[in-house]
Amino acid sequence: MSREIEPQYNPEKYEDAIFKLWLESGAFHSDSKKGGEPYSIVIPPPNVTGILHMGHALNNTIQDILVRRSRMQGKNTVWMPGTDHAGIATQNVVERKLKGEGKTKEGLGREAFIKEVWTWKEHHGNTIINQLKQMGCSCDWERERFTMDEGLSRAVAEVFVRLYHKGLIYRGNYIINWCPRCLTALSDEEAEHKETKGKLWYIKYPLKDRSGYITVATTRPETMLGDTAVAVAPDDERYKKFIGKEVILPVVERVIPVISDEWVDKAFGTGAVKVTPAHDPNDFEIGLRHDIAPLNVMEPDGIMNENAGKYKGIDRFKCRKELVRELEKKGLLEKTEDHQHSIRHCYRCHTVVEPRISEQWFVRMKPLAEPAIQVVRQGRIRFYPERWTKVYLDWMENIRDWCISRQIWWGHRIPVYYCDECHEVIVSHNLVEKCTTCSSSNIRQDEDVLDTWFSSWLWPFSTFGWPEDNADLKFYYPTDSLITAQEIIFFWVARMITAGMEFMGGIPFKKVYIHGTIRDETGRKMSKSLGNTIDPVDIIREYGADALRFSLIMITAQGQDVFLSSDKFEIGRNYANKIWNAFRFITMNTKGELSEFHNIEEKISSLSENLNTDDRYILFRLSELSSQVDEAVSSFRFNEAAHALYDFFWHSFCDKYIEFSKELLADVHPERERTLAVLIYVLKTFLRLLHPFMPFLTEIIWQILQEEAQQKHILMSASWPKVSRVGSEETAALVEKKYDLLRIARNIRSEYKIAPSKKLEYIIRTSDGKLKEYLSDQLTILMRLLNSHQISLIDGEEDVRPLPSGSTSFGTVYLKLTKESMNFEEELGRLARQLSDVEDYETRISRKLKNQKFIEKAPKEVVDKERSKLEDALARKTKIKENIHMLQSLSS
């Protein structure tokens, strides 16, 4: 070995250099000219404002596993990277920055503000991209896209124009979700429901004829100032006599009608509801049915307007408090109840959303949704886990029109122009400077921008150059798999399927894998506001990128949420060190001979007739591992693949085969060359199987092996292993039994505190002739591994005097104790003290369990735990007594 290898793996030393090696090799990049079988994945574009969080880490590790494996399988592989302009989020970030400088966007004006956002994007927008590179993500970084780059902006305009001319985009006054903080419309998906503890106020509405009153229940009393009716169910016997009458709206003293409508739920509140068409989506529909004009009582920022009378200029929630006090003072508040209900919040700033009538642009989704429903029903797109299929279909079958306009400045400006001379509306891909009807230059563009998701839903084909017809688009579309989280099934997944069917005439991807949510150990979703996040970049610094990746994958079952704490990353770090130490052991034993093993597959093939049972065992388990990893990754069971890799290397290879091989690696041993060949073959094959999961560690080990063998190629571009089946399950099971025997025999030595350096004698009793024959061939190895000077094999019928023993799958193994191997008097003294301690412990537990107050008052699980402790103590006492009796008989 010409190179000094450190005793511990140091990821910080290697990771940057390895990533640079990959970049310089060009292995990340591919194109359609190379031909072959296409395999493409598009990254869920992170927001340009984003920094890496654990959800990103899990999502992108999964994608990288698929991409690296595909590349090694020889497929023409592209992983398309990019970022999203994140309209509302990015505008909020830049507005906060300006505020710190004493500026406002209004003060700058639209053009200057947008320029400011572009400047911010150039300086800060690549943070998350650089962090993904730190993780080892093997995207085709030459193809990086941005949802507002020139090509994607052209695609957005093309889609808007096409849908508009098909009658699928329209403008209208409808009630929409409105954020009073961001001052923009939100789609239903952007206005997230949150369960909230609220109140239900019961308010008396006096009848105009002074014959009584109707009590209505509301969760938003401030909106009553905009009431235009009271509604009851037409078949509600309690209220039939009131239909057609009029009531006086409290506080503002406005007269409004009592109407009947099928929508009214008789079981809610009193069965009579206030109708506020300007501030509730259901009331808006009632207003349309009954031709009742809406009355808006709020400004866009949630401040009450002139229609609110004396409450003008007051914030909506302050108005609520003051209005309730006034109603109570006037005797019009009948009662107040606690009420748990769901309230929409802005997905970006978490402000309570206000339903508001506004002129907005919409996409008619029903006609677009139908083909997207059919392709999932037909199985052309499959969801993993399968349960998400129903969630998708339920939502698509009840889809509502999509509000696509936003009242912000950062984003794709709506390509609609208005002529102020002849009032012509012009929809165009290109900048319009003259009216197409009257030639006037008095033209203005629509002030609004498009919803961020209006560019994202085109991502699988716009990133490959659509609407231009090009070779890459034809070759790589549709993509293979989409990896995403459940939160954006409706935001993004459903809309991409819809867009793919409409504009490409085919599905955008074949498989959708929905992974779980990252939670803390208590089950809470990780969030900055709860202070329970773990920064992936900190984990990379402390443990390395591979430890981050492997640990996340190993603890994440298919589609299940992940319960995470920082110490979980020790799994990956310890595993990396185990692999490094095994690699170090093997290379140290090659003594500079690695170049002789450069064509290791041929070497193993030539030695196949000379392999012993241990060689066949490890090669059989390796072929099993190859199949297990392939099957698990193909079906998105990544944690099963990780467990298989972990168990094989740690237990089958290191604990068993490497331990067995140590004696055979001596310079003069006749089996040295064959054993070394098997070790190197298994290591190199394993590195290829592990590479998609732990790319940095495997690549640096591969590079050192290449350097020693005087070769130069990167593991990332190596071929995916196709492991031939060597040996059989029968042989492998036989060898496993041998290793089980070794484990039991060592445990007996340990139980009696006998130093590892002392040579001992063992007896193995078995009634199976075939096993006895196998063990006879293995005695020399067994004696070395057990540090034994003699091992006797006896038949199952032969008697053995009482000795320390253990049952194994071979039979029974006995440890022959002598005065030379053990100080009986000292061991009997130790056991006597141990027995005394156990008996004292047993007495304390028994006393507690005899205490009737403890049994009655303590929780059942506590009592059960104490009973379990007592059972353990009794079992330990019995075992110690048996050992004392046996040692006394042996020493006499």
Side-chain angles (χ1 to χ4, degrees), residues 775-801:
L775 287 174
S776 297
D777 293 338
Q778 298 287 313
L779 280 183
T780 304
I781 293 291
L782 288 172
M783 287 169 65
R784 175 182 68 80
L785 294 173
L786 290 173
N787 194 22
S788 169
H789 61 81
Q790 183 175 338
I791 296 178
S792 305
L793 298 175
I794 63 173
D795 292 329
E797 296 77 24
E798 290 186 43
D799 288 332
V800 179
R801 64 181 296 193

Side-chain angles (χ1 to χ4, degrees), residues 159 162-163 365 368-369 371-372 392 396 402 453-462 466 477 492-509:
V159 164
R162 285 194 193 186
L163 292 178
M365 292 303 292
L368 293 170
Y392 168 86
M396 290 292 277
W402 173 16
W453 299 99
F454 197 86
S455 51
S456 303
W457 75 324
L458 315 177
W459 191 250
F461 51 89
S462 64
W466 187 92
Y477 187 93
W492 195 45
V493 180
R495 289 173 181 161
M496 280 192 292
I497 297 173
T498 301
M501 297 306 295
E502 174 68 16
F503 303 110
M504 291 295 296
I507 59 174
F509 31 73

Side-chain angles (χ1 to χ4, degrees), residues 525-552:
K525 188 174 178 178
M526 285 193 171
S527 70
K528 285 182 182 178
S529 60
L530 291 174
N532 63 346
T533 59
I534 300 172
D535 187 343
V537 176
D538 289 343
I539 298 300
I540 290 172
R541 287 194 197 104
E542 185 174 355
Y543 297 100
D546 288 327
L548 169 73
R549 293 166 61 117
F550 192 82
S551 303
L552 276 176

Side-chain angles (χ1 to χ4, degrees), residues 612-678:
N612 65 26
T613 54
D614 287 83
D615 300 332
R616 294 181 184 280
Y617 158 76
I618 198 62
L619 293 173
F620 179 79
R621 290 288 181 243
L622 181 65
S623 67
E624 270 190 331
L625 175 68
S626 176
S627 299
Q628 287 167 350
V629 171
D630 264 332
E631 185 183 341
V633 172
S634 295
S635 54
F636 300 98
R637 300 194 312 273
F638 299 99
N639 72 313
E640 291 181 22
H643 276 280
L645 288 160
Y646 184 95
D647 291 342
F648 170 83
F649 196 86
W650 199 295
H651 302 301
S652 299
F653 192 47
C654 292
D655 292 351
K656 296 182 174 74
Y657 188 78
I658 288 182
E659 190 65 28
F660 151 82
S661 71
K662 286 178 179 176
E663 181 183 272
L664 308 182
L665 294 175
D667 287 344
V668 294
H669 201 288
E671 297 183 52
R672 179 177 186 274
E673 184 182 351
R674 189 202 70 242
T675 303
L676 198 54
V678 172

